[in-house]
Amino acid sequence: MDLPVEQWKSYVKQKWISLEPALKERFCPALSLQDCFLLVSSLFQPEDEEYLSSLANNYCVKKDPQMALFYKTEGNQRFQKKKYQTAGMLYSKALSHTEVSTPERAVCYANRSAALFHLDQFELCLEDIERALAEGYPHQLRHKALLRKVECLLSLGRAGEATDVLCYLEREVTADQSSNNQQVLLGKLSQLKAKASKGNSFVGQPTMASKTQEALEPLEENHRISCASVAVSLQMSPRKGRHLVADRDILPGEILVKEEAFVSVLRPGEGLLLQGSAAKTLDKQFDSEDLHCHRCLRRLLASVPCQGCSYAKYCSQTCAQLAWEDYHQRECSLGGLLLALGVFCHVAFRTVLVAGSAEIRALAGQSRQEAPEEPDLASVPGCDADRRYRSSYRAIFNLLPHAEKQSAESLFLCSLSVVALCKRLGEASPAAPVAGTSTSKSRAGASPELKILGEAMLKHVLQLRCNAQAVVTVRESGSGDKPVASSEQVALAVALFPVLSLLNHSCDPNTSVTFSSSTAEIRASRAIAEGEEILHCYGPHKCRMGAAERHKALLEQYFFECQCQACLSELGSRARRGASLHRAFRCPDCQAPLQGESMLRCSRGACNVLIPEVDFQLELYELQQLSKTAQEMLESGQPDKSLKLLMICKKEAERLLCPEHLMMGEIEDHLAQAYATLGNWQEAARHLRSSIQTAEAHYGPSSIEVGQELFKLAEVLFNG
């Protein structure tokens, strides 16, 4: 459900098919995201909105008193069968359908407290008892809740507090002469007072929250990259983009990044769709939206429900309040629509809500003033004014959307989904859809601020294809009431981690990632040498897939052909073979030859450069591809363009390779051909002489290869 539901995708596909060819042609790489949003806005029709609304209605997100009664009854039945964990989860589902300050909610809290007591979750039990009393638990039943409170306090070793509650209860019971079981209650109170005076207690099991909030190993944070270790540095190159590199030798197990998600959205389970009755929904296992906090992703045992919808649930009142203030007050009424549009659309929407209109407007204005043709590599995109890269919205805004690589049909689907959401936002309430936005409308019908918001959301939806991080967890399968249960790894949520997104892919990475709630932790999975790039696996791993399958998956989703060491070794590609024929690479600092095998060192003793050989192999591969493109241009009758591209190749080759490398001779040979085609025989001869020098150094002066180059030179001199 990362993408919209199948019905909406099919509907949009038919709409795309019905568009005029001239309209389809406008969805080209040259179309900006702003123009794309405005174009699709003009195509969005009332019937589109009506159909999407009908799909959104298939999701149960409104509070339903009948569902509350159903789940409470089911919970009571499980409780009687001593299936306390399942009973507690059912009471939680019942709570999500109750209204604030109602007897139904109070009873559900009290019933769940009983289940928690039997699970030895005494702290959580006390919280539910307090909630039940605050919500108006019936007076005639209060003594049951207070007696349970006393037993919890005694179990936690808090005898003094238990005695205070017992004294209060004794006064209440004594004063109530109408109670039929007054003597029974007084006897029970007497037993508990004796127990309290003896100090008998035992400490129950730790709560679910305490288990997941264990202190994690501290991280000595980098002064330039927030959430990253001092052992790494941020670098930028035209080929790799932004990436992290080891600043020193790193030991296996060292923490390199520890980052809390900027935003995360739970992936809903299939059981959420209404299937005709609550019973059919109940037949499904409890899904992620029932088992984890919708803000911090912690595992739930006693959830706090949203006050407005039945979908969102939280681990505490604090999380519920923070979520409401940051984003959920604007999401709450759109729950069904967001579920129909898919998790990517929901993440994009939540991202702009958390960021706020002012920051979006400022960054959008800056991006239109920049000149992307000549990027300043000294200033890494996404960094603040102090050149510090933070886990911030600025960093997210500067992630690449790769709009030009998306198919036109996919771009249309994403755009129409965002337009539909923006339209609902504009109609939802007189209040601004995002904090700080204006509600004044333009002639097109939407406010200028809503257009900026829509463009940003579209950008984020497209970014998520390459930058979304699945938050995974290990979950027990089957009922938690069984003594033995199997476990499985599940994709819990989709999140954006700006710093984690700096890591490039390898099918054989040198790191591993784990999650604690909404925090990602990257550790070195093996020793990493100084200067080596920090690499992360995007999914396709050499232990799970063959190289061909990995290449296909990465190209389809991430738009790149993987040239990691694992792929080069497995495929035996031309890039690897060409790179291994001659390793005459230059030191980037002093231009001296490099030496070594896996890690290349400068041959000059005074230079301390240490660079992985695979980095040079990948650069050489790209250089070969560029040279190949130039040769194809020459063969197709474009000598001017070919010559211009070949001069770029030569400049890169001189930076990367020593003069005797075969690639140097190949480029010189191609340059000679280009000049000869243009009739510049003098330049053609000059480049052929350079090619001959490379061939002599590599093959020897009497070789066939040198003879072939001499024959070409003679032909050029004759024509000139």
Side-chain angles (χ1 to χ4, degrees), residues 92 95 98-113 116 121-138 142 145-146 149 209 300-305 307 314-320:
S92 292
L95 275 165
T98 60
E99 300 289 348
V100 180
S101 301
T102 59
E104 292 78 16
R105 175 166 286 201
V107 169
C108 285
Y109 272 130
N111 288 5
R112 191 174 71 181
S113 75
L116 292 168
Q121 298 290 335
F122 301 121
E123 293 284 4
L124 293 177
C125 178
L126 286 173
E127 290 178 11
D128 267 5
I129 290 170
E130 293 303 319
R131 289 168 183 149
L133 297 174
E135 294 284 353
Y137 194 51
R142 286 171 62 89
L146 291 173
K149 180 177 181 178
L300 296 174
L301 193 56
S303 61
V304 175
Q307 309 293 19
Y314 304 95
C315 64
S316 64
Q317 189 59 46
T318 300
C319 260

Side-chain angles (χ1 to χ4, degrees), residues 248-484:
R248 59 167 171 79
D249 290 344
I250 294 171
L251 297 174
E254 281 194 53
I255 299 177
L256 304 180
V257 175
K258 185 191 290 185
E259 180 182 20
E260 185 176 352
F262 184 82
V263 292
S264 61
V265 172
L266 282 167
R267 301 182 71 197
E270 295 178 0
L272 188 69
L273 268 176
L274 288 176
Q275 301 182 42
S277 71
K280 287 188 177 179
T281 305
L282 186 67
D283 286 342
K284 301 286 185 181
Q285 296 290 332
F286 294 110
D287 288 316
S288 295
E289 68 270 15
D290 305 310
L291 300 173
H292 292 267
C293 176
H294 285 227
R295 180 179 176 272
C296 71
L297 307 184
R298 288 191 178 97
R299 182 65 188 261
L300 296 174
L301 193 56
S303 61
V304 175
C306 170
Q307 309 293 19
C309 68
S310 64
Y311 181 66
K313 306 170 186 71
Y314 304 95
C315 64
S316 64
Q317 189 59 46
T318 300
C319 260
Q321 185 62 33
L322 288 172
W324 184 261
E325 292 171 357
D326 289 345
Y327 50 81
H328 191 62
Q329 60 181 307
R330 295 174 181 85
E331 292 179 346
C332 192
S333 62
L334 304 172
L337 177 64
L338 291 170
L339 289 166
L341 291 177
V343 174
F344 278 5
C345 206
H346 195 166
V347 173
F349 181 40
R350 185 168 291 183
T351 299
V352 299
L353 290 176
V354 171
S357 174
E359 186 167 10
I360 296 170
R361 185 168 57 248
L363 289 171
Q366 288 176 16
S367 67
R368 293 192 180 100
Q369 293 171 8
E370 292 171 356
E373 294 82 6
E374 297 181 4
D376 178 12
L377 299 185
S379 179
V380 179
C383 287
D384 293 342
D386 59 1
R387 294 195 175 186
R388 178 173 166 82
Y389 191 95
R390 290 180 170 84
S391 182
S392 63
Y393 181 70
R394 175 184 290 274
I396 289 174
F397 190 86
N398 281 278
L399 296 174
L400 294 176
H402 295 294
E404 74 284 356
K405 297 177 182 177
Q406 310 266 358
S407 69
E409 188 174 333
S410 174
L411 185 60
F412 183 69
L413 170 64
C414 295
S415 302
L416 199 68
S417 299
V418 169
V419 166
L421 180 54
C422 286
K423 185 168 179 60
R424 278 289 301 275
L425 280 174
E427 298 170 350
S429 68
V434 176
T437 59
S438 167
T439 55
S440 60
K441 293 187 177 181
S442 64
R443 294 180 182 178
S447 69
E449 296 287 354
L450 199 55
K451 291 177 182 177
I452 293 174
L453 175 70
E455 181 188 351
M457 285 175 56
L458 177 56
K459 181 175 188 174
H460 298 325
V461 170
L462 298 177
Q463 286 171 336
L464 284 163
R465 179 164 179 172
C466 296
N467 292 283
Q469 174 65 54
V471 178
V472 298
T473 187
V474 176
R475 181 183 298 163
E476 291 183 357
S477 56
S479 171
D481 299 306
K482 295 180 180 179
V484 179

Side-chain angles (χ1 to χ4, degrees), residues 78 81-88 119 286 476 478-485:
R78 300 301 194 281
K81 295 177 181 179
K82 299 185 178 181
K83 295 183 177 180
Y84 300 120
Q85 187 166 330
T86 303
L119 293 170
F286 294 110
E476 291 183 357
S479 171
D481 299 306
K482 295 180 180 179
V484 179

